[in-house]
């Protein structure tokens, strides 16, 4: 998959105020990227963490649901490999 498109176009959409409007469609796109390359999970989760909405509880809930689906979409080995990048 084109990771540059993921990094420059799709992931920055998470920061937009209107994110709740297209949350489900964006999540489907992200999951398609993960189906091609599971190692992108760490990058996706790190981006969500860095741009966590502090005062928007609706957006927080949507991002938690997205993070849950991303974690569920990858196997345990991939998740264990990306854990240090997420925690560090």
């Amino acid at each position: 998959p084109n990771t540059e498109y993921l990094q420059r176009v799709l992931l920055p959409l998470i920061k937009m105020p209107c994110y709740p409007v297209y949350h489900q469609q964006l999540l489907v796109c992200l999951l398609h990227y993960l189906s091609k390359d599971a190692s992108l999970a760490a990058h996706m989760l790190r981006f969500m963490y860095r741009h966590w909405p502090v005062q928007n509880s609706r957006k927080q809930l949507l991002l938690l649901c997205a993070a849950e689906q991303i974690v569920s979409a990858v196997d345990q080995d991939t998740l264990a490999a990306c854990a240090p990048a997420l925690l560090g």
Side-chain angles (χ1 to χ4, degrees):
N2 188 349
T3 55
E4 186 175 334
Y5 184 77
L6 173 72
Q7 294 173 4
R8 293 181 185 255
V9 177
L10 293 179
L11 287 177
L13 289 173
I14 292 171
K15 301 186 295 184
M16 302 303 290
C18 57
Y19 171 71
V21 174
Y22 53 81
H23 157 77
Q24 192 61 43
Q25 293 85 354
L26 180 58
L27 182 57
V28 168
C29 291
L30 295 179
L31 292 174
H32 279 297
Y33 269 85
L34 283 179
S35 70
K36 303 290 184 196
D37 185 0
S39 67
L40 295 172
H43 185 70
M44 291 177 186
L45 293 170
R46 193 175 327 116
F47 188 91
M48 288 180 185
Y49 178 72
R50 286 185 182 156
H51 301 285
W52 192 257
V54 177
Q55 297 182 341
N56 188 339
S57 59
R58 180 174 182 214
K59 197 169 171 183
Q60 288 175 346
L61 183 59
L62 291 174
L63 285 178
L64 280 174
C65 291
E68 177 185 17
Q69 289 195 17
I70 289 170
V71 167
S72 299
V74 297
D75 60 16
Q76 292 288 352
D77 294 333
T78 304
L79 198 56
C82 72
L86 293 172
L87 300 175

